[in-house]
C-alpha cells in the first residue's frame, strides 16, 4: 500500500467523537436490555440486580407479556405467553407418501361364463373397485384402486340343477398413493429479552483532548505512540471510575483508575505504544469511562494510521558524467519524504535544498524520513573528480637536457611528474609540487 492510498483510506473513516462537554448535566436515566436463558417453560421468572437502583421508568419484552416487582436493587420479572424461540425434534418422522403399483391382496374371485350368481358348487364373487392398504412396516396406509386382473381356469363345478359348468378365477391388482402421518415429537424452548429504562446513578462524562485525529504513526521511536489525555467527571462523589480504551476490536485495556470527586478530573497523559501487534493500515482507538455502579460514558474515538513502510531510497545523479574537475550532485528524494538530509563523508547531517558542488572525491550519504518516522538511507561514492590536464611548453631542448613548464591552473596543490621518452620507453623522470 503506497502512502497516498494510506492517506485516502484514513480519510474514509468517519470521525466520531461522542462527548458531552456540559459537565454539570446529570444523566440519571439509563436503558439496558438483557436476554435471559431459554427454558422449556413458557412461563418464567427472572431477576435482574442493578446496583444503586432508584426507580424503574419502563419495562418491555420482545415477546409475550411481562410484569415485575422491585425489592431493593433487585427486579423480579414474570414472563408469560411468549412465542417459541427454538424447537428440537426428539423423535418420530415427518409425513410422507409413496406410490403402490400392482399390489395383489392374494384373493381369488370365481365366476362362470353363463351365470353371474352362485349356484350349487359354482361360485361367483365380484372384486371390489378399491381396497384398504396398510399400515405396512413403514407406517404407510391408504386406499388402492383396482387396475387389472389375471384370469385362470379353475376346473368344473355343479350347479343346483345338476348341470356342469366351467369355473374360472381371477387375481386382481391394485395401485395408488399411500401416506404415513407426521409422527414427529418436539421439545419447545422459550426465551425472553427484557428492555429496562431505569434511574440509578449519574453516568460519568469524558472529554478527550488528545491525540489529534488521523495521526500517522510507525514503530520508530518518537513517532510510535498515541498520547491519551482529557478530563472525566462523575457527580456521584466517591464512585470508583475506570478509564478504558480499545484499539479496533482488540481486548479492552484499562487506562487509569480514580475516585470521583464530583468535579472535573484530569486523565493523565498516557502513551499507547504502536508495536508489532498493531498492523499497518488504518485503525481507531476508543476511550470511555465506567463507574462501579454500571454507568458508562459515551465514547471518544480517534482514527490513526500505522505506517511501517520506509520511503524509497534516495538516488543520485552526477553532472557532468565522467572525469571532471568538479561535479554537481543532485539527490532525488521520494515524494513522501518529510525530511530530506545528506552528509559528506563523516560530516553532519544537513537539510538538502539544492544540488551540491564537489571539487574532490567523496562519499555522499542521503536519508529520506517520512511523516511516520520511517527512514531509508542511500550512499554514492564520487570517484571521477580530478585536476585538469597539464599544459606543457618546452622552453629549452638540447642533446642532453630539456626544460619544460606546465602553464595549467589548478584549484589546489598538485604533484607534477615529467617523463622523457625515447623509442616509447621512459629514460628519465622527475617530479615537483607547485
Amino acid at each position: 500500500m503506497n502512502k497516498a492510498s494510506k492517506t485516502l483510506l484514513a480519510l474514509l473513516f468517519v470521525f466520531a467523537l461522542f462527548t458531552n462537554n456540559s459537565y454539570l448535566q446529570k444523566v440519571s436515566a439509563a436503558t439496558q436490555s438483557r436476554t435471559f436463558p431459554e427454558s422449556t417453560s413458557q412461563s418464567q421468572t427472572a431477576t435482574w440486580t442493578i446496583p444503586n437502583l432508584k426507580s424503574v421508568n419502563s419495562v418491555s419484552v420482545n415477546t409475550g407479556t411481562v410484569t415485575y416487582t422491585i425489592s431493593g436493587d433487585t427486579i423480579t420479572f414474570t414472563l408469560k405467553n411468549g412465542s417459541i424461540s427454538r424447537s428440537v425434534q426428539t423423535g418420530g418422522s415427518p409425513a410422507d407418501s409413496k406410490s403402490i403399483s400392482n399390489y395383489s391382496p392374494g384373493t381369488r374371485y370365481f365366476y362362470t361364463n353363463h351365470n353371474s350368481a352362485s349356484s350349487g358348487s359354482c361360485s361367483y364373487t365380484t372384486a371390489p373397485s378399491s381396497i384398504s392398504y396398510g399400515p405396512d412396516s413403514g407406517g404407510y396406509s391408504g386406499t388402492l384402486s383396482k387396475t387389472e386382473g389375471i384370469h385362470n381356469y379353475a376346473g368344473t363345478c355343479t350347479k343346483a340343477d345338476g348341470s356342469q359348468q366351467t369355473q374360472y378365477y381371477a387375481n386382481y391388482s391394485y395401485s395408488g398413493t399411500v401416506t404415513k402421518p407426521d409422527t414427529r415429537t418436539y421439545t419447545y424452548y422459550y426465551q425472553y429479552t427484557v428492555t429496562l429504562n431505569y434511574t440509578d446513578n449519574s453516568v460519568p462524562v469524558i472529554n478527550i483532548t488528545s491525540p489529534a485525529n488521523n495521526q500517522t504513526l510507525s514503530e520508530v521511536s518518537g513517532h510510535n505512540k498515541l498520547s491519551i489525555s482529557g478530563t472525566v467527571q462523575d457527580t456521584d462523589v466517591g464512585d470508583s471510575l475506570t478509564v478504558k480504551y480499545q484499539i479496533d476490536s482488540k481486548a479492552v485495556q484499562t487506562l487509569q483508575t480514580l475516585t470521583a470527586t464530583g468535579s472535573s478530573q484530569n486523565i493523565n497523559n498516557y502513551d499507547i505504544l504502536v508495536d508489532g501487534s498493531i498492523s499497518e493500515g488504518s485503525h481507531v482507538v476508543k476511550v470511555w469511562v465506567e463507574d462501579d455502579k454500571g454507568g458508562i460514558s459515551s465514547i471518544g474515538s480517534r482514527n490513526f494510521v500505522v505506517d511501517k513502510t520506509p520511503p524509497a531510497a534516495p538516488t543520485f545523479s552526477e553532472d557532468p558524467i565522467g572525469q571532471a574537475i568538479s561535479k554537481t550532485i543532485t539527490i532525488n528524494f521520494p515524494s513522501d519524504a518529510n525530511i530530506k538530509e545528506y552528509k559528506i563523508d563523516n560530516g553532519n547531517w544537513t537539510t538538502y535544498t539544492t544540488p551540491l558542488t564537489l571539487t574532490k572525491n567523496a562519499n555522499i550519504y542521503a536519508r529520506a524520513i517520512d511523516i511516520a518516522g520511517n527512514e531509508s538511507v542511500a550512499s554514492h561514492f564520487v570517484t571521477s573528480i580530478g585536476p585538469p590536464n597539464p599544459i606543457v611548453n618546452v622552453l629549452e631542448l638540447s642533446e642532453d637536457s630539456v626544460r619544460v613548464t606546465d602553464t595549467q591552473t589548478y584549484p589546489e596543490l598538485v604533484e607534477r611528474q615529467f617523463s622523457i621518452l625515447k623509442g616509447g620507453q621512459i629514460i628519465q623522470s622527475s617530479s615537483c609540487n607547485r
Side-chain angles (χ1 to χ4, degrees):
M1 181 184 295
N2 58 38
K3 302 299 172 66
S5 297
K6 292 174 183 173
T7 302
L8 177 60
L9 185 58
L11 293 177
L12 292 178
F13 274 85
V14 178
F15 171 50
L17 178 59
F18 304 103
T19 57
N20 188 340
N21 293 321
S22 179
Y23 285 142
L24 299 181
Q25 180 180 2
K26 183 172 182 178
V27 181
S28 58
T31 299
Q32 294 190 50
S33 294
R34 177 170 293 183
T35 300
F36 295 103
E38 64 181 4
S39 169
T40 56
S41 175
Q42 191 179 31
S43 297
Q44 302 176 23
T45 300
T47 60
W48 189 349
T49 299
I50 298 177
N52 200 39
L53 178 66
K54 296 179 181 177
S55 64
V56 172
N57 303 322
S58 64
V59 176
S60 62
V61 69
N62 65 321
T63 180
T65 60
V66 58
T67 58
Y68 66 93
T69 59
I70 302 175
S71 176
D73 291 343
T74 301
I75 309 171
T76 301
F77 301 98
T78 300
L79 306 161
K80 294 181 178 181
N81 305 319
S83 300
I84 297 170
S85 60
R86 184 169 66 97
S87 62
V88 177
Q89 184 178 346
T90 56
S93 58
D96 195 12
S97 63
K98 68 178 180 178
S99 296
I100 301 294
S101 60
N102 299 322
Y103 172 74
S104 174
T107 302
R108 289 185 174 185
Y109 299 94
F110 293 91
Y111 63 95
T112 64
N113 285 335
H114 302 290
N115 200 339
S116 60
S118 299
S119 177
S121 63
C122 294
S123 299
Y124 185 87
T125 53
T126 302
S129 60
S130 63
I131 62 172
S132 296
Y133 174 87
D136 60 16
S137 59
Y140 293 88
S141 62
T143 300
L144 303 180
S145 299
K146 184 172 67 175
T147 54
E148 59 181 335
I150 301 176
H151 301 269
N152 294 280
Y153 174 71
T156 60
C157 63
T158 303
K159 295 176 61 177
D161 60 3
S163 61
Q164 298 289 311
Q165 288 287 326
T166 302
Q167 183 83 55
Y168 299 91
Y169 71 88
N171 289 331
Y172 287 95
S173 295
Y174 293 81
S175 300
T177 299
V178 293
T179 61
K180 68 174 181 179
D182 189 336
T183 59
R184 290 176 291 182
T185 58
Y186 295 88
T187 297
Y188 297 100
Y189 292 88
Y190 303 86
Q191 190 167 43
Y192 294 92
T193 298
V194 172
T195 299
L196 178 67
N197 180 270
Y198 59 93
T199 301
D200 59 349
N201 70 309
S202 298
V203 175
V205 176
I206 190 169
N207 181 40
I208 300 301
T209 57
S210 71
N213 198 40
N214 292 325
Q215 276 192 333
T216 299
L217 307 172
S218 74
E219 290 183 303
V220 180
S221 177
H223 297 271
N224 66 336
K225 60 187 178 182
L226 287 170
S227 294
I228 305 295
S229 61
T231 57
V232 297
Q233 184 180 19
D234 192 328
T235 57
D236 292 328
V237 177
D239 278 7
S240 178
L241 305 180
T242 303
V243 182
K244 298 182 178 182
Y245 75 92
Q246 183 183 35
I247 296 178
D248 300 330
S249 58
K250 298 182 182 297
V252 174
Q253 304 290 334
T254 295
L255 194 70
Q256 185 179 346
T257 57
L258 60 161
T259 301
T261 63
S263 301
S264 178
Q265 296 171 266
N266 289 330
I267 300 174
N268 297 330
N269 289 332
Y270 187 92
D271 293 338
I272 302 174
L273 295 180
V274 174
D275 55 22
S277 66
I278 303 178
S279 63
E280 190 170 44
S282 296
H283 303 273
V284 62
V285 60
K286 295 169 284 187
V287 186
W288 67 95
V289 61
E290 301 177 4
D291 65 24
D292 57 348
K293 297 176 182 176
I296 302 176
S297 74
S298 56
I299 295 175
S301 65
R302 294 289 191 272
N303 300 317
F304 66 97
V305 176
V306 174
D307 179 1
K308 301 180 181 180
T309 303
T315 60
F316 304 82
S317 59
E318 297 182 7
D319 183 30
I321 298 174
Q323 190 75 21
I325 61 174
S326 66
K327 291 206 173 203
T328 298
I329 307 300
T330 300
I331 306 176
N332 304 297
F333 288 88
S335 59
D336 58 342
N338 189 51
I339 298 176
K340 305 174 184 179
E341 295 180 328
Y342 75 95
K343 70 176 182 177
I344 299 175
D345 293 330
N346 294 322
N348 296 325
W349 287 106
T350 304
T351 300
Y352 178 85
T353 55
T354 59
L356 315 175
T357 299
L358 294 185
T359 58
K360 64 177 182 179
N361 295 322
N363 250 330
I364 303 177
Y365 301 90
R367 66 181 179 187
I369 304 175
D370 64 18
I371 193 172
N374 300 301
E375 177 182 310
S376 60
V377 179
S379 62
H380 180 70
F381 188 32
V382 180
T383 60
S384 53
I385 296 178
N389 293 326
I391 301 175
V392 179
N393 292 314
V394 178
L395 302 179
E396 295 180 6
L397 180 63
S398 65
E399 291 183 358
D400 56 0
S401 68
V402 62
R403 183 166 171 258
V404 296
T405 184
D406 180 8
T407 59
Q408 180 64 271
T409 300
Y410 300 98
E412 56 188 33
L413 184 66
V414 297
E415 178 183 348
R416 295 179 174 86
Q417 181 174 346
F418 299 92
S419 299
I420 299 175
L421 288 77
K422 184 177 181 180
Q425 300 294 323
I426 297 176
I427 59 174
Q428 186 177 351
S429 62
S430 63
S431 63
C432 66
N433 293 326
R434 296 285 177 84

